[in-house]
Amino acid sequence: MEAGNENRSKWIKVRLKPSEEEQLNKSFKKTTFQNLSEFGRAMILGKPVTVIHRDKSMDEILEELALLRRELNAIGNNLNQAVRNINSAHGFPDTRLWMNLLTIINGKLEPSISEIKERMSKYSDLWSQKLKVERA
């Protein structure tokens, strides 16, 4: 039987103080491991452990960017709904005026909204790449 196909049948029991257990759990939560057993085996056998490091100074900026993106999406949705309502109201006297105004507004807003979204996506991608590099 190959070593890769063997089942894990041996148990190791370790007693820890509450403070040691807390320290172990804190260390485990900072890693990419799915369960404590995997983490423990890696530590005992000297295998590489990938630790997640976050730049907490970026958290506030990223939260703000996410809120801004959500708000821009809401503005775009509201504008699209208004245009749809105007398009469905053909035949009323002021419809053509409102359609022209909304077309002008949409023409001026859409490029700006798209540019903001693109920049936000670039910042998000850069931050994600930075995290990936730090994990490696």
mmCIF file of all heavy atoms in Angstrom, residues 21-69:
data_model
loop_
_atom_site.group_PDB
_atom_site.id
_atom_site.type_symbol
_atom_site.label_atom_id
_atom_site.label_comp_id
_atom_site.label_asym_id
_atom_site.label_seq_id
_atom_site.Cartn_x
_atom_site.Cartn_y
_atom_site.Cartn_z
ATOM 1 N N GLU A 21 -4.589 26.900 24.305
ATOM 2 C CA GLU A 21 -5.623 26.565 23.334
ATOM 3 C C GLU A 21 -6.077 27.820 22.592
ATOM 4 O O GLU A 21 -6.287 27.813 21.374
ATOM 5 C CB GLU A 21 -6.815 25.896 24.012
ATOM 6 C CG GLU A 21 -7.900 25.530 23.026
ATOM 7 C CD GLU A 21 -9.169 25.029 23.679
ATOM 8 O OE1 GLU A 21 -9.415 25.372 24.853
ATOM 9 O OE2 GLU A 21 -9.926 24.318 23.003
ATOM 10 N N GLU A 22 -6.227 28.912 23.324
ATOM 11 C CA GLU A 22 -6.634 30.176 22.718
ATOM 12 C C GLU A 22 -5.594 30.646 21.705
ATOM 13 O O GLU A 22 -5.929 31.073 20.599
ATOM 14 C CB GLU A 22 -6.820 31.235 23.812
ATOM 15 C CG GLU A 22 -7.378 32.541 23.324
ATOM 16 C CD GLU A 22 -7.592 33.527 24.463
ATOM 17 O OE1 GLU A 22 -7.964 33.108 25.572
ATOM 18 O OE2 GLU A 22 -7.367 34.727 24.216
ATOM 19 N N GLN A 23 -4.320 30.533 22.070
ATOM 20 C CA GLN A 23 -3.241 30.924 21.167
ATOM 21 C C GLN A 23 -3.231 30.033 19.916
ATOM 22 O O GLN A 23 -3.065 30.515 18.798
ATOM 23 C CB GLN A 23 -1.894 30.834 21.884
ATOM 24 C CG GLN A 23 -0.725 31.281 21.052
ATOM 25 C CD GLN A 23 0.588 31.173 21.813
ATOM 26 O OE1 GLN A 23 0.614 30.818 22.990
ATOM 27 N NE2 GLN A 23 1.682 31.457 21.139
ATOM 28 N N LEU A 24 -3.444 28.731 20.111
ATOM 29 C CA LEU A 24 -3.498 27.790 18.994
ATOM 30 C C LEU A 24 -4.645 28.139 18.041
ATOM 31 O O LEU A 24 -4.470 28.179 16.820
ATOM 32 C CB LEU A 24 -3.654 26.356 19.506
ATOM 33 C CG LEU A 24 -3.789 25.272 18.445
ATOM 34 C CD1 LEU A 24 -2.479 25.111 17.680
ATOM 35 C CD2 LEU A 24 -4.197 23.961 19.084
ATOM 36 N N ASN A 25 -5.812 28.411 18.589
ATOM 37 C CA ASN A 25 -6.977 28.756 17.760
ATOM 38 C C ASN A 25 -6.770 30.079 17.013
ATOM 39 O O ASN A 25 -7.180 30.214 15.861
ATOM 40 C CB ASN A 25 -8.251 28.798 18.597
ATOM 41 C CG ASN A 25 -8.756 27.415 18.929
ATOM 42 O OD1 ASN A 25 -8.651 26.498 18.119
ATOM 43 N ND2 ASN A 25 -9.306 27.249 20.123
ATOM 44 N N LYS A 26 -6.140 31.058 17.672
ATOM 45 C CA LYS A 26 -5.849 32.325 17.000
ATOM 46 C C LYS A 26 -4.909 32.112 15.825
ATOM 47 O O LYS A 26 -5.117 32.647 14.737
ATOM 48 C CB LYS A 26 -5.229 33.334 17.980
ATOM 49 C CG LYS A 26 -6.210 34.006 18.888
ATOM 50 C CD LYS A 26 -5.507 35.018 19.771
ATOM 51 C CE LYS A 26 -6.481 35.665 20.734
ATOM 52 N NZ LYS A 26 -5.802 36.607 21.635
ATOM 53 N N SER A 27 -3.887 31.295 16.036
ATOM 54 C CA SER A 27 -2.939 31.002 14.954
ATOM 55 C C SER A 27 -3.630 30.267 13.820
ATOM 56 O O SER A 27 -3.404 30.562 12.643
ATOM 57 C CB SER A 27 -1.775 30.158 15.476
ATOM 58 O OG SER A 27 -1.049 30.853 16.445
ATOM 59 N N PHE A 28 -4.476 29.301 14.159
ATOM 60 C CA PHE A 28 -5.202 28.522 13.149
ATOM 61 C C PHE A 28 -6.111 29.412 12.316
ATOM 62 O O PHE A 28 -6.167 29.283 11.092
ATOM 63 C CB PHE A 28 -5.998 27.409 13.835
ATOM 64 C CG PHE A 28 -7.056 26.793 12.975
ATOM 65 C CD1 PHE A 28 -6.723 26.091 11.831
ATOM 66 C CD2 PHE A 28 -8.389 26.909 13.304
ATOM 67 C CE1 PHE A 28 -7.699 25.518 11.027
ATOM 68 C CE2 PHE A 28 -9.370 26.346 12.514
ATOM 69 C CZ PHE A 28 -9.019 25.652 11.368
ATOM 70 N N LYS A 29 -6.806 30.349 12.942
ATOM 71 C CA LYS A 29 -7.753 31.212 12.228
ATOM 72 C C LYS A 29 -7.061 32.140 11.233
ATOM 73 O O LYS A 29 -7.685 32.621 10.300
ATOM 74 C CB LYS A 29 -8.583 32.022 13.212
ATOM 75 C CG LYS A 29 -9.614 31.174 13.930
ATOM 76 C CD LYS A 29 -10.398 31.973 14.937
ATOM 77 C CE LYS A 29 -11.370 31.050 15.679
ATOM 78 N NZ LYS A 29 -12.075 31.749 16.749
ATOM 79 N N LYS A 30 -5.772 32.371 11.421
ATOM 80 C CA LYS A 30 -5.025 33.244 10.515
ATOM 81 C C LYS A 30 -4.497 32.494 9.295
ATOM 82 O O LYS A 30 -3.870 33.094 8.433
ATOM 83 C CB LYS A 30 -3.847 33.882 11.249
ATOM 84 C CG LYS A 30 -4.258 34.869 12.315
ATOM 85 C CD LYS A 30 -3.033 35.420 13.010
ATOM 86 C CE LYS A 30 -3.431 36.361 14.132
ATOM 87 N NZ LYS A 30 -2.252 36.864 14.869
ATOM 88 N N THR A 31 -4.727 31.186 9.231
ATOM 89 C CA THR A 31 -4.197 30.382 8.127
ATOM 90 C C THR A 31 -5.274 30.087 7.095
ATOM 91 O O THR A 31 -6.440 30.421 7.286
ATOM 92 C CB THR A 31 -3.640 29.040 8.645
ATOM 93 O OG1 THR A 31 -4.705 28.227 9.120
ATOM 94 C CG2 THR A 31 -2.615 29.263 9.745
ATOM 95 N N THR A 32 -4.851 29.401 6.040
ATOM 96 C CA THR A 32 -5.772 29.007 4.980
ATOM 97 C C THR A 32 -6.325 27.599 5.190
ATOM 98 O O THR A 32 -7.071 27.109 4.348
ATOM 99 C CB THR A 32 -5.071 29.068 3.611
ATOM 100 O OG1 THR A 32 -3.930 28.215 3.641
ATOM 101 C CG2 THR A 32 -4.659 30.490 3.281
ATOM 102 N N PHE A 33 -5.956 26.936 6.288
ATOM 103 C CA PHE A 33 -6.421 25.572 6.544
ATOM 104 C C PHE A 33 -7.908 25.540 6.858
ATOM 105 O O PHE A 33 -8.443 26.453 7.477
ATOM 106 C CB PHE A 33 -5.642 24.935 7.698
ATOM 107 C CG PHE A 33 -4.228 24.595 7.341
ATOM 108 C CD1 PHE A 33 -3.188 25.394 7.754
ATOM 109 C CD2 PHE A 33 -3.940 23.474 6.584
ATOM 110 C CE1 PHE A 33 -1.882 25.093 7.424
ATOM 111 C CE2 PHE A 33 -2.641 23.158 6.248
ATOM 112 C CZ PHE A 33 -1.612 23.972 6.661
ATOM 113 N N GLN A 34 -8.567 24.452 6.424
ATOM 114 C CA GLN A 34 -10.005 24.307 6.617
ATOM 115 C C GLN A 34 -10.343 23.777 8.010
ATOM 116 O O GLN A 34 -11.410 24.050 8.530
ATOM 117 C CB GLN A 34 -10.593 23.358 5.565
ATOM 118 C CG GLN A 34 -10.457 23.889 4.145
ATOM 119 C CD GLN A 34 -11.248 25.156 3.939
ATOM 120 O OE1 GLN A 34 -12.385 25.249 4.359
ATOM 121 N NE2 GLN A 34 -10.642 26.136 3.297
ATOM 122 N N ASN A 35 -9.459 22.962 8.586
ATOM 123 C CA ASN A 35 -9.747 22.439 9.925
ATOM 124 C C ASN A 35 -8.476 22.359 10.767
ATOM 125 O O ASN A 35 -7.357 22.400 10.242
ATOM 126 C CB ASN A 35 -10.481 21.084 9.857
ATOM 127 C CG ASN A 35 -9.699 20.042 9.107
ATOM 128 O OD1 ASN A 35 -8.533 19.828 9.377
ATOM 129 N ND2 ASN A 35 -10.339 19.397 8.147
ATOM 130 N N LEU A 36 -8.664 22.250 12.045
ATOM 131 C CA LEU A 36 -7.562 22.280 13.001
ATOM 132 C C LEU A 36 -6.650 21.073 12.844
ATOM 133 O O LEU A 36 -5.438 21.176 13.066
ATOM 134 C CB LEU A 36 -8.133 22.365 14.428
ATOM 135 C CG LEU A 36 -7.152 22.642 15.552
ATOM 136 C CD1 LEU A 36 -6.397 23.936 15.318
ATOM 137 C CD2 LEU A 36 -7.891 22.716 16.887
ATOM 138 N N SER A 37 -7.196 19.938 12.433
ATOM 139 C CA SER A 37 -6.365 18.741 12.246
ATOM 140 C C SER A 37 -5.305 18.964 11.176
ATOM 141 O O SER A 37 -4.137 18.602 11.351
ATOM 142 C CB SER A 37 -7.233 17.545 11.863
ATOM 143 O OG SER A 37 -8.106 17.214 12.901
ATOM 144 N N GLU A 38 -5.714 19.535 10.042
ATOM 145 C CA GLU A 38 -4.762 19.819 8.963
ATOM 146 C C GLU A 38 -3.668 20.761 9.457
ATOM 147 O O GLU A 38 -2.487 20.555 9.175
ATOM 148 C CB GLU A 38 -5.471 20.477 7.786
ATOM 149 C CG GLU A 38 -6.399 19.596 7.010
ATOM 150 C CD GLU A 38 -7.052 20.366 5.880
ATOM 151 O OE1 GLU A 38 -6.320 21.007 5.086
ATOM 152 O OE2 GLU A 38 -8.285 20.353 5.799
ATOM 153 N N PHE A 39 -4.082 21.792 10.166
ATOM 154 C CA PHE A 39 -3.133 22.774 10.689
ATOM 155 C C PHE A 39 -2.154 22.107 11.649
ATOM 156 O O PHE A 39 -0.941 22.302 11.554
ATOM 157 C CB PHE A 39 -3.890 23.903 11.389
ATOM 158 C CG PHE A 39 -3.017 24.901 12.095
ATOM 159 C CD1 PHE A 39 -2.161 25.719 11.378
ATOM 160 C CD2 PHE A 39 -3.064 25.039 13.471
ATOM 161 C CE1 PHE A 39 -1.361 26.651 12.009
ATOM 162 C CE2 PHE A 39 -2.270 25.971 14.118
ATOM 163 C CZ PHE A 39 -1.416 26.776 13.389
ATOM 164 N N GLY A 40 -2.680 21.295 12.551
ATOM 165 C CA GLY A 40 -1.825 20.606 13.524
ATOM 166 C C GLY A 40 -0.819 19.680 12.851
ATOM 167 O O GLY A 40 0.363 19.660 13.219
ATOM 168 N N ARG A 41 -1.265 18.905 11.862
ATOM 169 C CA ARG A 41 -0.353 18.011 11.141
ATOM 170 C C ARG A 41 0.756 18.800 10.455
ATOM 171 O O ARG A 41 1.925 18.424 10.490
ATOM 172 C CB ARG A 41 -1.115 17.181 10.111
ATOM 173 C CG ARG A 41 -1.742 15.936 10.681
ATOM 174 C CD ARG A 41 -2.250 15.006 9.584
ATOM 175 N NE ARG A 41 -3.328 15.588 8.800
ATOM 176 C CZ ARG A 41 -4.606 15.581 9.168
ATOM 177 N NH1 ARG A 41 -4.965 15.013 10.305
ATOM 178 N NH2 ARG A 41 -5.514 16.118 8.403
ATOM 179 N N ALA A 42 0.381 19.897 9.811
ATOM 180 C CA ALA A 42 1.377 20.716 9.122
ATOM 181 C C ALA A 42 2.408 21.259 10.105
ATOM 182 O O ALA A 42 3.613 21.248 9.821
ATOM 183 C CB ALA A 42 0.701 21.860 8.372
ATOM 184 N N MET A 43 1.952 21.709 11.254
ATOM 185 C CA MET A 43 2.869 22.247 12.259
ATOM 186 C C MET A 43 3.796 21.152 12.798
ATOM 187 O O MET A 43 5.004 21.347 12.899
ATOM 188 C CB MET A 43 2.090 22.886 13.412
ATOM 189 C CG MET A 43 1.295 24.119 13.034
ATOM 190 S SD MET A 43 2.308 25.491 12.491
ATOM 191 C CE MET A 43 3.111 25.921 14.004
ATOM 192 N N ILE A 44 3.228 20.002 13.140
ATOM 193 C CA ILE A 44 4.020 18.907 13.719
ATOM 194 C C ILE A 44 5.026 18.356 12.709
ATOM 195 O O ILE A 44 6.177 18.086 13.054
ATOM 196 C CB ILE A 44 3.091 17.774 14.225
ATOM 197 C CG1 ILE A 44 2.308 18.256 15.440
ATOM 198 C CG2 ILE A 44 3.882 16.518 14.565
ATOM 199 C CD1 ILE A 44 1.180 17.328 15.853
ATOM 200 N N LEU A 45 4.609 18.210 11.470
ATOM 201 C CA LEU A 45 5.462 17.602 10.447
ATOM 202 C C LEU A 45 6.354 18.617 9.735
ATOM 203 O O LEU A 45 7.095 18.265 8.822
ATOM 204 C CB LEU A 45 4.592 16.852 9.428
ATOM 205 C CG LEU A 45 3.759 15.708 10.019
ATOM 206 C CD1 LEU A 45 2.836 15.121 8.966
ATOM 207 C CD2 LEU A 45 4.668 14.630 10.607
ATOM 208 N N GLY A 46 6.279 19.875 10.127
ATOM 209 C CA GLY A 46 7.152 20.905 9.563
ATOM 210 C C GLY A 46 6.815 21.282 8.133
ATOM 211 O O GLY A 46 7.683 21.721 7.380
ATOM 212 N N LYS A 47 5.566 21.114 7.750
ATOM 213 C CA LYS A 47 5.141 21.491 6.405
ATOM 214 C C LYS A 47 4.857 22.989 6.362
ATOM 215 O O LYS A 47 4.610 23.604 7.401
ATOM 216 C CB LYS A 47 3.895 20.704 6.005
ATOM 217 C CG LYS A 47 4.171 19.224 5.838
ATOM 218 C CD LYS A 47 2.954 18.490 5.376
ATOM 219 C CE LYS A 47 3.268 17.016 5.179
ATOM 220 N NZ LYS A 47 2.084 16.261 4.759
ATOM 221 N N PRO A 48 4.875 23.585 5.164
ATOM 222 C CA PRO A 48 4.615 25.033 5.083
ATOM 223 C C PRO A 48 3.193 25.390 5.506
ATOM 224 O O PRO A 48 2.248 24.680 5.194
ATOM 225 C CB PRO A 48 4.826 25.364 3.605
ATOM 226 C CG PRO A 48 4.949 24.079 2.889
ATOM 227 C CD PRO A 48 5.173 22.994 3.874
ATOM 228 N N VAL A 49 3.091 26.494 6.215
ATOM 229 C CA VAL A 49 1.804 27.002 6.680
ATOM 230 C C VAL A 49 1.616 28.387 6.079
ATOM 231 O O VAL A 49 2.444 29.269 6.281
ATOM 232 C CB VAL A 49 1.759 27.077 8.231
ATOM 233 C CG1 VAL A 49 0.485 27.723 8.698
ATOM 234 C CG2 VAL A 49 1.936 25.698 8.830
ATOM 235 N N THR A 50 0.536 28.561 5.325
ATOM 236 C CA THR A 50 0.253 29.847 4.707
ATOM 237 C C THR A 50 -0.592 30.675 5.664
ATOM 238 O O THR A 50 -1.676 30.259 6.061
ATOM 239 C CB THR A 50 -0.504 29.654 3.379
ATOM 240 O OG1 THR A 50 0.276 28.823 2.527
ATOM 241 C CG2 THR A 50 -0.753 30.986 2.698
ATOM 242 N N VAL A 51 -0.074 31.830 6.022
ATOM 243 C CA VAL A 51 -0.753 32.716 6.956
ATOM 244 C C VAL A 51 -1.354 33.873 6.175
ATOM 245 O O VAL A 51 -0.699 34.462 5.318
ATOM 246 C CB VAL A 51 0.222 33.238 8.032
ATOM 247 C CG1 VAL A 51 -0.472 34.208 8.968
ATOM 248 C CG2 VAL A 51 0.829 32.086 8.803
ATOM 249 N N ILE A 52 -2.601 34.171 6.456
ATOM 250 C CA ILE A 52 -3.283 35.299 5.811
ATOM 251 C C ILE A 52 -2.928 36.569 6.573
ATOM 252 O O ILE A 52 -3.123 36.653 7.780
ATOM 253 C CB ILE A 52 -4.808 35.093 5.814
ATOM 254 C CG1 ILE A 52 -5.170 33.821 5.060
ATOM 255 C CG2 ILE A 52 -5.509 36.297 5.214
ATOM 256 C CD1 ILE A 52 -6.614 33.413 5.234
ATOM 257 N N HIS A 53 -2.419 37.539 5.839
ATOM 258 C CA HIS A 53 -2.084 38.826 6.450
ATOM 259 C C HIS A 53 -2.917 39.899 5.770
ATOM 260 O O HIS A 53 -2.940 39.996 4.560
ATOM 261 C CB HIS A 53 -0.599 39.142 6.267
ATOM 262 C CG HIS A 53 -0.233 40.516 6.704
ATOM 263 N ND1 HIS A 53 -0.145 40.868 8.025
ATOM 264 C CD2 HIS A 53 0.037 41.631 5.990
ATOM 265 C CE1 HIS A 53 0.180 42.152 8.109
ATOM 266 N NE2 HIS A 53 0.297 42.629 6.885
ATOM 267 N N ARG A 54 -3.606 40.674 6.560
ATOM 268 C CA ARG A 54 -4.433 41.749 5.998
ATOM 269 C C ARG A 54 -3.874 43.086 6.415
ATOM 270 O O ARG A 54 -3.512 43.289 7.566
ATOM 271 C CB ARG A 54 -5.868 41.626 6.507
ATOM 272 C CG ARG A 54 -6.580 40.470 5.876
ATOM 273 C CD ARG A 54 -8.010 40.520 6.176
ATOM 274 N NE ARG A 54 -8.572 41.722 5.583
ATOM 275 C CZ ARG A 54 -9.835 42.048 5.686
ATOM 276 N NH1 ARG A 54 -10.665 41.286 6.336
ATOM 277 N NH2 ARG A 54 -10.282 43.133 5.135
ATOM 278 N N ASP A 55 -3.859 43.983 5.462
ATOM 279 C CA ASP A 55 -3.472 45.356 5.731
ATOM 280 C C ASP A 55 -4.716 46.063 6.258
ATOM 281 O O ASP A 55 -5.561 46.503 5.486
ATOM 282 C CB ASP A 55 -2.951 46.007 4.454
ATOM 283 C CG ASP A 55 -2.416 47.401 4.685
ATOM 284 O OD1 ASP A 55 -2.477 47.891 5.834
ATOM 285 O OD2 ASP A 55 -1.935 48.012 3.716
ATOM 286 N N LYS A 56 -4.833 46.153 7.560
ATOM 287 C CA LYS A 56 -6.053 46.680 8.169
ATOM 288 C C LYS A 56 -6.260 48.157 7.845
ATOM 289 O O LYS A 56 -7.368 48.652 7.942
ATOM 290 C CB LYS A 56 -6.031 46.449 9.672
ATOM 291 C CG LYS A 56 -6.079 44.969 9.999
ATOM 292 C CD LYS A 56 -6.323 44.710 11.434
ATOM 293 C CE LYS A 56 -6.209 43.220 11.639
ATOM 294 N NZ LYS A 56 -7.146 42.599 12.395
ATOM 295 N N SER A 57 -5.216 48.856 7.446
ATOM 296 C CA SER A 57 -5.386 50.262 7.077
ATOM 297 C C SER A 57 -6.223 50.401 5.809
ATOM 298 O O SER A 57 -6.818 51.437 5.565
ATOM 299 C CB SER A 57 -4.025 50.921 6.875
ATOM 300 O OG SER A 57 -3.354 50.347 5.771
ATOM 301 N N MET A 58 -6.275 49.349 4.998
ATOM 302 C CA MET A 58 -7.053 49.382 3.762
ATOM 303 C C MET A 58 -8.519 49.032 3.994
ATOM 304 O O MET A 58 -9.352 49.286 3.130
ATOM 305 C CB MET A 58 -6.459 48.392 2.755
ATOM 306 C CG MET A 58 -5.106 48.779 2.213
ATOM 307 S SD MET A 58 -5.189 50.215 1.152
ATOM 308 C CE MET A 58 -6.003 49.513 -0.269
ATOM 309 N N ASP A 59 -8.859 48.435 5.130
ATOM 310 C CA ASP A 59 -10.226 47.985 5.369
ATOM 311 C C ASP A 59 -11.248 49.107 5.246
ATOM 312 O O ASP A 59 -12.275 48.954 4.602
ATOM 313 C CB ASP A 59 -10.353 47.326 6.751
ATOM 314 C CG ASP A 59 -9.724 45.949 6.779
ATOM 315 O OD1 ASP A 59 -9.370 45.426 5.697
ATOM 316 O OD2 ASP A 59 -9.590 45.384 7.878
ATOM 317 N N GLU A 60 -10.954 50.247 5.857
ATOM 318 C CA GLU A 60 -11.900 51.361 5.832
ATOM 319 C C GLU A 60 -12.078 51.885 4.405
ATOM 320 O O GLU A 60 -13.201 52.160 3.967
ATOM 321 C CB GLU A 60 -11.401 52.484 6.741
ATOM 322 C CG GLU A 60 -12.399 53.592 6.942
ATOM 323 C CD GLU A 60 -11.906 54.628 7.938
ATOM 324 O OE1 GLU A 60 -11.386 54.232 8.997
ATOM 325 O OE2 GLU A 60 -12.051 55.824 7.639
ATOM 326 N N ILE A 61 -10.985 51.961 3.664
ATOM 327 C CA ILE A 61 -11.060 52.432 2.280
ATOM 328 C C ILE A 61 -11.873 51.462 1.439
ATOM 329 O O ILE A 61 -12.725 51.873 0.637
ATOM 330 C CB ILE A 61 -9.643 52.593 1.703
ATOM 331 C CG1 ILE A 61 -8.915 53.727 2.430
ATOM 332 C CG2 ILE A 61 -9.674 52.850 0.198
ATOM 333 C CD1 ILE A 61 -7.450 53.807 2.135
ATOM 334 N N LEU A 62 -11.641 50.175 1.621
ATOM 335 C CA LEU A 62 -12.365 49.178 0.830
ATOM 336 C C LEU A 62 -13.846 49.163 1.166
ATOM 337 O O LEU A 62 -14.684 48.992 0.273
ATOM 338 C CB LEU A 62 -11.755 47.801 1.045
ATOM 339 C CG LEU A 62 -10.380 47.639 0.411
ATOM 340 C CD1 LEU A 62 -9.754 46.320 0.814
ATOM 341 C CD2 LEU A 62 -10.482 47.725 -1.095
ATOM 342 N N GLU A 63 -14.175 49.343 2.431
ATOM 343 C CA GLU A 63 -15.587 49.422 2.808
ATOM 344 C C GLU A 63 -16.246 50.620 2.135
ATOM 345 O O GLU A 63 -17.366 50.524 1.618
ATOM 346 C CB GLU A 63 -15.736 49.533 4.325
ATOM 347 C CG GLU A 63 -15.450 48.245 5.054
ATOM 348 C CD GLU A 63 -15.534 48.402 6.572
ATOM 349 O OE1 GLU A 63 -16.267 49.290 7.037
ATOM 350 O OE2 GLU A 63 -14.869 47.630 7.261
ATOM 351 N N GLU A 64 -15.539 51.735 2.115
ATOM 352 C CA GLU A 64 -16.075 52.948 1.475
ATOM 353 C C GLU A 64 -16.236 52.741 -0.030
ATOM 354 O O GLU A 64 -17.237 53.149 -0.624
ATOM 355 C CB GLU A 64 -15.146 54.135 1.748
ATOM 356 C CG GLU A 64 -15.695 55.457 1.288
ATOM 357 C CD GLU A 64 -16.953 55.866 2.032
ATOM 358 O OE1 GLU A 64 -17.097 55.541 3.220
ATOM 359 O OE2 GLU A 64 -17.810 56.514 1.400
ATOM 360 N N LEU A 65 -15.270 52.090 -0.649
ATOM 361 C CA LEU A 65 -15.369 51.809 -2.081
ATOM 362 C C LEU A 65 -16.552 50.889 -2.385
ATOM 363 O O LEU A 65 -17.255 51.079 -3.377
ATOM 364 C CB LEU A 65 -14.070 51.184 -2.600
ATOM 365 C CG LEU A 65 -12.880 52.129 -2.751
ATOM 366 C CD1 LEU A 65 -11.629 51.346 -3.113
ATOM 367 C CD2 LEU A 65 -13.156 53.195 -3.779
ATOM 368 N N ALA A 66 -16.759 49.906 -1.534
ATOM 369 C CA ALA A 66 -17.889 48.994 -1.744
ATOM 370 C C ALA A 66 -19.213 49.741 -1.623
ATOM 371 O O ALA A 66 -20.133 49.526 -2.421
ATOM 372 C CB ALA A 66 -17.825 47.845 -0.744
ATOM 373 N N LEU A 67 -19.321 50.629 -0.640
ATOM 374 C CA LEU A 67 -20.538 51.430 -0.488
ATOM 375 C C LEU A 67 -20.740 52.350 -1.689
ATOM 376 O O LEU A 67 -21.861 52.517 -2.174
ATOM 377 C CB LEU A 67 -20.473 52.259 0.795
ATOM 378 C CG LEU A 67 -20.566 51.484 2.107
ATOM 379 C CD1 LEU A 67 -20.317 52.412 3.294
ATOM 380 C CD2 LEU A 67 -21.927 50.819 2.238
ATOM 381 N N LEU A 68 -19.656 52.929 -2.168
ATOM 382 C CA LEU A 68 -19.740 53.817 -3.331
ATOM 383 C C LEU A 68 -20.185 53.044 -4.570
ATOM 384 O O LEU A 68 -21.040 53.512 -5.331
ATOM 385 C CB LEU A 68 -18.384 54.472 -3.575
ATOM 386 C CG LEU A 68 -18.298 55.511 -4.677
ATOM 387 C CD1 LEU A 68 -19.290 56.633 -4.464
ATOM 388 C CD2 LEU A 68 -16.891 56.074 -4.757
ATOM 389 N N ARG A 69 -19.656 51.852 -4.749
ATOM 390 C CA ARG A 69 -20.060 51.029 -5.891
ATOM 391 C C ARG A 69 -21.535 50.677 -5.801
ATOM 392 O O ARG A 69 -22.271 50.753 -6.781
ATOM 393 C CB ARG A 69 -19.230 49.745 -5.934
ATOM 394 C CG ARG A 69 -19.573 48.884 -7.143
ATOM 395 C CD ARG A 69 -18.853 47.576 -7.148
ATOM 396 N NE ARG A 69 -17.421 47.761 -7.106
ATOM 397 C CZ ARG A 69 -16.554 46.761 -7.109
ATOM 398 N NH1 ARG A 69 -16.971 45.520 -7.141
ATOM 399 N NH2 ARG A 69 -15.267 46.985 -7.067
#
